[in-house]
Amino acid sequence: MPITRRVTTHEGPGGTFESLAVLDASAQAPCPGILLFPNVLGTKEADFAYAEKIATLGYTVLVADIYGQGKRTTREDPDMGCYMAELNADRALLRDRVNSAHAVLKALKEADESRTAAIGFCFGGKCVLDLARSGADIAGGVAFHGVYDAPPFANAAITAKLLICHGWDDPIAPPEATVALATELTQAGCDWQIHAYGHTGHAFTDHAVNMPDKGLAYSADADQRSFRSMKDFLGDLLG
């Protein structure tokens, strides 16, 4: 199965964006499409590698740039959250950008536009939730160690099914935030499930993170368990 990477430059709300399509070049028909929203740093090699794992399961993946072409940060950058902060301050713009990325995914000739879903990590988990909150026609979404605060405006009807993979000791999403999300999704009539991993903090899928004293650390067990849960969830949704 030859997995191919292809840079996809596209226009969107506020400028030009550079996403990456990851797909099986030998597929005889369009595959279900998956949006992958990165964490606070923006698109990077770790996201592309994760997308390749998903593509081998029979999906066409778009690693979505929602910051803008050339707007990337690193953990060494003292202002690494600057682009995320801009979108946190303007949730309507965030909503528009995640929907624009979904349109780009559906326009790929290798993607079945009638069968799409989204996954995201950390801030990317918020992107998944805001895409669902906007009423987008994704079949479902998976948030890994996401950020759960609702936007300051009313949601559209949520039709997507949602899987929340959550570290119970996550300082960014403490128990009260997790319960608030469950309450929000229940009131919206959403089909949701939360998989909470004990003794697990934020960033549990990120091999590069090891700050257990701050509640941020990779967890091999939670990483593997959440990947299996995602695989089963997407398989049920998209066949």
Side-chain angles (χ1 to χ4, degrees):
M1 179 183 291
I3 301 299
T4 299
R5 297 180 178 187
R6 185 177 72 229
V7 173
T8 302
T9 303
H10 51 96
E11 297 304 309
T16 302
F17 299 81
E18 186 176 300
S19 300
L20 187 82
V22 182
L23 50 97
D24 175 7
S26 67
Q28 298 301 303
C31 299
I34 307 295
L35 272 177
L36 188 157
F37 292 113
N39 66 12
V40 59
L41 303 179
T43 64
K44 55 196 168 299
E45 177 57 32
D47 301 309
F48 306 153
Y50 202 97
E52 288 185 339
K53 289 175 60 178
I54 299 172
T56 63
L57 301 177
Y59 301 106
T60 292
V61 185
L62 183 72
V63 181
D65 172 20
I66 59 164
Y67 290 159
Q69 192 174 39
K71 294 183 177 180
R72 308 291 185 267
T73 60
T74 68
R75 288 186 176 82
E76 291 71 37
D77 187 340
D79 197 21
M80 73 173 189
C82 59
Y83 302 126
M84 178 183 72
E86 291 174 2
L87 293 175
N88 277 331
D90 190 344
R91 294 289 284 277
L93 179 59
L94 176 58
R95 176 197 60 204
D96 293 346
R97 286 189 177 177
V98 296
N99 275 278
S100 177
H102 187 218
V104 173
L105 171 69
K106 293 196 292 183
L108 296 176
K109 67 180 186 299
E110 298 89 355
D112 181 347
E113 65 176 352
S114 68
R115 293 188 294 161
T116 61
I119 70 170
F121 304 85
C122 182
F123 179 66
K126 175 183 279 189
C127 294
V128 170
L129 292 172
D130 276 13
L131 183 62
R133 287 163 170 149
S134 76
D137 62 344
I138 54 172
V142 184
F144 298 91
H145 42 84
V147 183
Y148 303 151
D149 58 300
F153 45 77
N155 296 332
I158 298 176
T159 60
K161 298 180 179 180
L162 293 174
L163 168 63
I164 313 301
C165 296
H166 172 71
W168 190 250
D169 296 331
D170 188 336
I172 295 175
E176 56 271 23
T178 308
V179 172
L181 175 65
T183 300
E184 175 197 350
L185 297 179
T186 298
Q187 291 174 346
C190 176
D191 182 332
W192 63 269
Q193 51 187 300
I194 295 176
H195 294 193
Y197 310 111
H199 312 290
T200 303
H202 193 69
F204 59 77
T205 66
D206 194 333
H207 292 260
V209 175
N210 184 29
M211 296 181 286
D213 56 317
K214 297 183 178 179
L216 291 81
Y218 174 72
S219 166
D221 286 344
D223 186 17
Q224 293 165 11
R225 290 167 181 168
S226 61
F227 186 87
R228 286 196 300 268
S229 294
M230 175 198 66
K231 179 180 176 182
D232 291 344
F233 180 74
L234 295 178
D236 289 344
L237 286 180
L238 302 174

